[in-house]
Amino acid sequence: MKKRLFAALLAGAVAVSLMACGGSSSSASSAPAEGGEGGGEGSYKIDVICKTLSSEYWTYIKAGAEAYSKDHPEVTVEVKGPPSETSYDEQMNMIQTDIGSGAYDGYIIAPLQADTVKTLIADTDKPVMALDSAIPSDKVISFIGTGNEEAAKAGAAAAVEAAKAAGWTDIKCIEIAGVQGDGTNTARMNGYIAGIEENGGDFLENEVQYADAVADKATTCMEGIMSSHPEGIAIICANNDDMALAAANAAAKAGLESYKNTIFLGFDGQIPAAQAILEGKMSMSTAQNPYNMAYLAVETMVKHLNGETVEPVVDSGYTIITKDNAQEHIDTLKGYSQN
């Protein structure tokens, strides 16, 4: 119950914040559409197709989606995902099979390849919502997820301040990126660029290293960065925590004095990263709220199915994780698994 209350409070806080700024609410509207019943009384079966279920982040997505069903037994939620975030064909087959089955009232999809998913959903007459990454289709009712560019920008700004505090005066940043062309990767990169350069740093855009979102390739990228920049780099930002931690470990193993005060910035706020931040092995991470993201996604789908008007974007928020709040963050994440 504590976690569902947190999800509700988060949604309300985001809505109030955006209305105070003169923008639209990022939570689903409570006003039903004409002819809609509202109240969440419908009995529905909802399909949630993730990018994978093989990483910590996506297990929180699964827990959040299933938590909504536990709170609302009239709503059945099925959560599935391919073996990895590069299992494009497997996810495509899942989407094709589930849409073709006619067994679901609505689909919540986290696309690995947004343009491919756009084609796959083109002929369905059931509502579709995008989770975590947007889908460029007028079939999509709402996008539920982190404002990746805004969150990355905030993380980069915090990293610049941390670099200044660590004694850097020439604040250069190199990104170890994920999968080239992926929409989420691009949004985070744009945020990093803005956050670094608007706060007095220099984002070395022509030196971005693509590591396909995996730690092993990030280690190799970091070794190359150290070879090319023996003088050190103030900030290494990464598209996810696995890559940021791998880069930090590679630097520590190399033992170069010039990298002793480098700021390593990750994204996702997973438990190993938060633990590494507590231990001083990594500097900071921009944490998404995947549990709440998924809970809000199912909630938004149910509202739509009940005839309510929902917002086209539902922002699940973010938190910058540092040593000051890392333990609290770990405790919160561990609580989700006890749901």
Side-chain angles (χ1 to χ4, degrees):
M1 182 60 68
K2 177 179 178 182
K3 293 179 282 296
R4 261 74 72 205
L5 176 61
F6 177 69
L9 289 174
L10 174 64
V14 170
V16 170
S17 173
L18 288 180
M19 286 187 289
C21 295
S24 62
S25 169
S26 63
S27 63
S29 169
S30 60
E34 184 176 352
E37 295 295 329
E41 297 178 355
S43 178
Y44 304 115
K45 186 175 182 180
I46 297 172
D47 192 28
V48 180
I49 301 178
C50 300
K51 293 184 178 181
T52 185
L53 291 177
S54 63
S55 71
E56 180 186 329
Y57 175 85
W58 291 100
T59 64
Y60 299 140
I61 290 283
K62 184 174 187 290
E66 292 176 343
Y68 185 92
S69 184
K70 290 178 182 177
D71 287 350
H72 305 82
E74 73 280 7
V75 177
T76 300
V77 176
E78 289 188 8
V79 185
K80 62 199 68 171
S84 75
E85 291 194 34
T86 54
S87 299
Y88 307 120
D89 290 343
E90 288 89 338
Q91 190 191 57
M92 181 181 70
N93 289 336
M94 284 180 180
I95 296 170
Q96 287 178 315
T97 299
D98 287 2
I99 289 178
S101 73
Y104 302 95
D105 296 293
Y107 301 91
I108 298 171
I109 302 173
L112 286 175
Q113 293 178 308
D115 287 337
T116 299
V117 175
K118 175 184 177 180
T119 301
L120 296 176
I121 65 176
D123 295 325
T124 183
D125 58 356
K126 301 292 181 64
V128 177
M129 294 187 178
L131 177 70
D132 184 71
S133 296
I135 302 169
S137 169
D138 57 8
K139 288 282 185 176
V140 174
I141 306 299
S142 295
F143 164 68
I144 303 92
T146 304
N148 281 289
E149 186 167 338
E150 178 186 357
K153 180 178 178 179
V160 170
E161 293 306 308
K164 291 176 181 177
W168 291 92
T169 54
D170 185 14
I171 302 178
K172 294 179 180 178
C173 173
I174 294 177
E175 179 182 5
I176 299 178
V179 178
Q180 191 168 10
D182 174 73
T184 298
N185 179 78
T186 300
R188 291 178 186 175
M189 184 182 298
N190 289 340
Y192 284 146
I193 292 170
I196 295 295
E197 297 195 343
E198 289 178 15
N199 289 278
D202 181 14
F203 186 96
L204 303 182
E205 196 167 352
N206 62 339
E207 295 191 45
V208 170
Q209 307 286 313
Y210 287 96
D212 294 336
V214 296
D216 288 350
K217 290 185 179 180
T219 297
T220 301
C221 289
M222 188 64 208
E223 290 169 350
I225 290 170
M226 289 186 291
S227 177
S228 299
H229 294 274
E231 75 284 2
I233 290 290
I235 300 169
I236 299 293
C237 62
N239 189 58
N240 65 27
D241 285 334
D242 290 344
M243 294 190 296
L245 187 52
N249 287 339
K253 183 178 179 180
L256 297 177
E257 186 68 22
S258 55
Y259 281 85
K260 181 179 179 181
N261 293 322
T262 293
I263 304 301
F264 290 92
L265 168 65
F267 201 111
D268 284 339
Q270 297 181 11
I271 287 177
Q275 188 62 49
I277 290 169
L278 280 177
E279 296 170 358
K281 298 177 181 178
M282 184 171 145
S283 309
M284 57 182 60
S285 177
T286 303
Q288 300 189 80
N289 293 301
Y291 181 98
N292 301 291
M293 183 190 299
Y295 193 100
L296 287 169
V298 180
E299 179 181 72
T300 303
M301 177 63 79
V302 171
K303 287 184 176 184
H304 173 75
L305 291 169
N306 283 335
E308 298 186 39
T309 300
V310 298
E311 294 293 336
V313 176
V314 181
D315 192 333
S316 54
Y318 63 87
T319 304
I320 306 300
I321 305 301
T322 66
K323 278 189 176 182
D324 292 338
N325 60 356
Q327 186 60 58
E328 180 183 0
H329 183 67
I330 290 170
D331 294 341
T332 297
L333 293 180
K334 287 183 175 179
Y336 294 156
S337 63
Q338 299 170 6
N339 179 50

